[in-house]
Amino acid sequence: HAFSRFRRAAMSCAWESELVPCKRCVHCCFRAERNKDTCCGKCSPDNACELEGHEAHCSRLTEQALRSSYWEKVRCDSAAEQEADCLVVPNRAGEGPRPVILFLTGNGHVDDRQDFFGGGIDQLMRNNELKSYILLAPKPLSKTGVLRYNDQWRWNWCEDGLWAMLTEILRRLGPSKVDPSQLYATGLSLGAAGVWHLALKYGQYLAGVAPISGVCQWPYESWPRRSGPKREVLERLSELPMRAYQIDVDRYSGTPTHDIEWLCYGLQEVKEELNLRGMELDRRVDVAVRRWCREGGKPWELWEAKGPLKDWAYYDQWGGDKHCLWNRVYPWPEWGLASFFAAHRLPQEKCWDIAVASPLSDVLAQQKKDEEAYYLQKAEEEAKAMDVDAPMEATVGKMSAGDMEVMQEQKRLRQDDTEMHAVPWGESLRNPQLPFAALASLQI
């Protein structure tokens, strides 16, 4: 009974929860957008029940679907100020142990900047071929441990925190509901990077991953500069089926194309051209599919949509969509996400033991130490700069205009020299001059 009370406290109905407030659209049965009375701008009393009566991006989340879903609270980092919140969407078809998809949303949803139920998990829930899957969607809140800073002090999904959260929820669901041989991960934009990073460290327990519109940042020196990826990373990736979806002109979050080409260098490649459904019924999207398969390893695929995409009238005034490919991949079965996942599973001996949760992450504690060290160093540099500039300021009144210009130019050159020696995050992580042959033994 005590355990049951604890479980009820850790769970809350998604429709009734204050984590993401819900109310019905005034015209139809779908959930209204945040701070609005309607589910989308097109919905009206005259056409609310018609498919054409809604915007292409309308979430179409019903009260029934959200009442059957619930939030789980999970402690996933030892230094986190709050517990993490994860939406659990139970399977709506099938019985017995079910496959599980971990979904990671994008940067717009971090710390509730945008409506969590718009432009992410809602599109995944629309896919009828995924009704037999359990969907898990953590809320990206910076104080819970599911996020960490990257090298530019910007928020990224935290692979250790996510794994601690995921394994605890799997433990709670239990073997009667979860098939550990069918654990998958997908994510959009920032979430795509999170899927890559999760694969680098925990890919041996995943049956397949599908990052959309995002690139790996190769954290923790997993791919050192002027070198190939670490051997253990390559071995982990070589056993993990991957399908990356990308718009070929997308540079918003970076493109994984060059990394995938490097990692699949020397493997036989098969190409295919597809024409798939767009956001609107009468518009299509051309997709170039590239497939690689390594001997004894798992297949990798890159699905590149030819952009900018002009499959929704809204994008016409913007010159087309160059980033948001997930609005097609997630809801429409013909984009093949469900069939890709269903084709892959782990052998039982390699599965994660769902009776055991992973230890809590300690990333936030280390992050706090790094912040303190950074600000201490910055304060010392500013104090030193003040000491250097003080004698100059004392002589300013005695300088001619020409002398002052020379002094200011020298100071600017010192700053430029410092910046020139700093390595920007976007710089290539490997030496482009290093021949592939020299790294052939490292490739997967």
Side-chain angles (χ1 to χ4, degrees):
H1 295 296
F3 178 75
S4 298
R5 286 195 298 272
F6 168 79
R7 290 289 294 116
R8 285 194 294 271
M11 299 166 54
S12 60
C13 169
W15 181 263
E16 298 175 352
S17 173
E18 295 181 358
L19 280 171
V20 182
C22 297
K23 67 177 183 180
R24 286 185 61 154
C25 171
V26 295
H27 301 312
C28 71
C29 63
F30 297 144
R31 173 187 177 271
E33 292 182 284
R34 185 171 71 176
N35 300 326
K36 295 182 180 180
D37 293 325
T38 59
C39 60
C40 64
K42 196 174 179 180
C43 187
S44 69
D46 299 329
N47 58 8
C49 296
E50 301 174 7
L51 180 63
E52 295 79 8
H54 296 271
E55 295 279 8
H57 75 292
C58 180
S59 66
R60 294 172 170 80
L61 286 176
T62 64
E63 179 177 348
Q64 179 183 2
L66 290 175
R67 283 196 177 278
S68 66
S69 304
Y70 58 93
W71 291 98
E72 285 273 11
K73 283 193 170 293
V74 181
R75 183 166 179 78
C76 61
D77 190 288
S78 57
E81 297 179 32
Q82 302 172 7
E83 290 181 305
D85 298 299
C86 183
L87 179 72
V88 180
V89 182
N91 57 296
R92 292 156 285 170
E95 297 180 357
R98 306 312 307 159
V100 176
I101 297 177
L102 174 67
F103 165 75
L104 304 181
T105 192
N107 185 59
H109 293 128
V110 171
D111 287 333
D112 288 321
R113 290 201 299 271
Q114 296 175 6
D115 185 356
F116 182 81
F117 285 143
I121 186 61
D122 55 308
Q123 299 301 311
L124 204 59
M125 291 173 68
R126 289 176 62 185
N127 193 322
N128 289 329
E129 291 189 356
L130 295 177
K131 286 185 176 181
S132 61
Y133 291 69
I134 298 172
L135 308 181
L136 304 180
K139 204 161 182 275
L141 301 177
S142 55
K143 295 182 179 181
T144 63
V146 295
L147 299 178
R148 61 167 174 80
Y149 284 135
N150 65 12
D151 288 357
Q152 282 190 316
W153 296 96
R154 294 177 180 173
W155 290 118
N156 265 14
W157 286 100
C158 176
E159 46 277 88
D160 289 339
L162 285 172
W163 193 251
M165 179 211 71
L166 173 63
T167 55
E168 171 58 22
I169 293 178
L170 296 179
R171 188 193 66 78
R172 294 178 185 179
L173 290 171
S176 64
K177 294 183 178 180
V178 172
D179 180 356
S181 71
Q182 292 183 284
L183 302 182
Y184 309 98
T186 184
L188 61 93
S189 196
L190 181 73
V195 168
W196 273 96
H197 301 165
L198 194 69
L200 298 183
K201 193 163 186 180
Y202 300 103
Q204 67 270 34
Y205 302 115
L206 299 174
V209 294
I212 303 178
S213 302
V215 65
C216 186
Q217 297 178 357
W218 303 102
Y220 307 118
E221 291 294 308
S222 52
W223 192 332
R225 286 170 49 81
R226 295 179 175 83
S227 176
K230 290 182 177 178
R231 185 169 296 277
E232 61 269 24
V233 170
L234 288 174
E235 291 174 352
R236 199 167 288 137
L237 291 178
S238 70
E239 294 300 316
L240 177 63
M242 176 181 291
R243 178 184 288 180
Y245 293 90
Q246 188 78 14
I247 300 177
D248 60 0
V249 295
D250 183 1
R251 297 298 180 269
Y252 180 79
S253 293
T255 173
T257 301
H258 301 306
D259 286 346
I260 292 175
E261 288 176 339
W262 194 99
L263 292 165
C264 295
Y265 178 77
L267 301 176
Q268 183 178 0
E269 179 180 348
V270 177
K271 296 183 179 181
E272 183 181 3
E273 297 291 331
L274 300 177
N275 183 257
L276 303 176
R277 175 176 176 172
M279 291 187 67
E280 294 182 352
L281 290 173
D282 59 343
R283 302 200 189 191
R284 310 289 290 180
V285 177
D286 291 323
V287 181
V289 177
R290 304 170 67 185
R291 296 184 176 94
W292 300 266
C293 190
R294 57 194 57 84
E295 186 177 353
K298 303 300 182 180
W300 274 35
E301 300 180 12
L302 175 61
W303 289 41
E304 280 192 306
K306 298 177 182 179
L309 306 186
K310 297 182 179 180
D311 57 336
W312 182 23
Y314 172 81
Y315 287 124
D316 292 345
Q317 60 183 319
W318 301 100
D321 181 11
K322 299 179 181 180
H323 183 56
C324 305
L325 188 58
W326 56 87
N327 287 327
R328 297 87 175 166
V329 176
Y330 285 152
W332 308 133
E334 69 182 86
W335 283 80
L337 181 67
S339 59
F340 171 72
F341 284 157
H344 303 290
R345 64 169 62 204
L346 286 176
Q348 289 296 326
E349 65 271 14
K350 293 186 177 181
C351 295
W352 178 267
D353 181 2
I354 62 173
V356 179
S358 179
L360 296 182
S361 168
D362 60 359
V363 170
L364 290 186
Q366 183 60 48
Q367 180 175 291
K368 186 176 181 180
K369 291 180 182 178
D370 292 342
E371 283 187 82
E372 292 172 350
Y374 169 79
Y375 286 117
L376 179 61
Q377 180 182 358
K378 192 174 180 66
E380 291 174 350
E381 290 174 354
E382 290 177 353
K384 190 179 294 184
M386 290 177 62
D387 291 340
V388 172
D389 290 343
M392 294 185 180
E393 292 173 358
T395 61
V396 163
K398 303 176 183 179
M399 287 185 179
S400 65
D403 289 339
M404 288 181 64
E405 288 179 4
V406 171
M407 181 191 73
Q408 291 168 354
E409 179 66 12
Q410 289 176 342
K411 185 175 181 180
R412 184 186 66 78
L413 289 173
R414 288 199 303 272
Q415 293 172 343
D416 289 349
D417 185 61
T418 300
E419 293 172 0
M420 221 169 70
H421 285 83
V423 180
W425 172 254
E427 187 176 333
S428 175
L429 294 171
R430 52 198 173 278
N431 183 358
Q433 303 302 321
L434 196 60
F436 284 123
L439 296 172
S441 63
L442 291 174
Q443 303 207 8
I444 60 177

